[in-house]
Amino acid sequence: MGAAVVHGGRVLAARRTAPPEVAGRWELPGGKVEPGETPEQALVREVEEELGCRVEVVGWLPGRSRVRPGLVLTVAVVRLVEGEPTPTEHDRVRWLRPDELETVVWLDSDRLFLPELARILGDRR
């Protein structure tokens, strides 16, 4: 699962450091659901672990993207509740306006969600 952290008309992108085949590419932060967690609880936990801030799930983007066999990505829109995102598992984060979404090299699985994110952010291109 991915988290589209939306704040002030921008979305947060995080740059991967591993594994080597995706290092340097950008993604929406997130992770896997642990046993006993709801998807919403998992995203709140993952964002806190990866970025040291608290978020609240406000909705889900349409669609599912295949990451690899047996792993599918879904993305929630989340609101920043507390703290400033500081990467611990990524080497960099950036806040992107809708017109900046194509300025980073996204993981292929995340690209599916960019058009809807641009719409939500109020793309005026």
Side-chain angles (χ1 to χ4, degrees):
M1 277 179 309
V5 183
V6 174
H7 183 70
R10 301 173 300 166
V11 67
L12 189 76
R15 190 167 67 181
R16 297 284 306 247
T17 59
E21 61 270 13
V22 296
R25 295 186 76 185
W26 294 78
E27 69 177 350
L28 300 168
K32 295 183 180 89
V33 179
E34 297 292 336
E37 284 183 318
T38 66
E40 291 82 2
Q41 290 168 332
L43 276 179
V44 169
R45 175 186 52 76
E46 287 283 352
V47 170
E48 189 164 1
E49 289 173 3
E50 292 182 12
L51 300 169
C53 58
R54 284 188 345 142
V55 296
E56 170 186 51
V57 175
V58 296
W60 291 88
L61 295 177
R64 299 164 54 93
S65 180
R66 182 175 177 265
V67 177
R68 63 178 181 265
L71 184 59
V72 175
L73 176 66
T74 57
V75 174
V77 176
V78 302
R79 181 178 70 86
L80 186 60
V81 173
E82 184 180 309
E84 184 62 33
T86 305
T88 59
E89 296 182 15
H90 300 86
D91 68 347
R92 189 168 170 213
V93 294
R94 279 183 62 189
W95 288 106
L96 301 172
R97 294 184 316 261
D99 61 330
E100 296 173 313
L101 290 174
E102 297 296 334
T103 64
V104 299
V105 180
W106 291 93
L107 292 176
D108 293 339
S109 55
D110 291 71
R111 293 194 61 75
L112 170 76
F113 302 98
L114 298 182
E116 183 64 13
L117 269 175
R119 189 192 68 73
I120 288 170
L121 296 172
D123 188 0
R124 292 174 177 80
R125 285 182 274 184

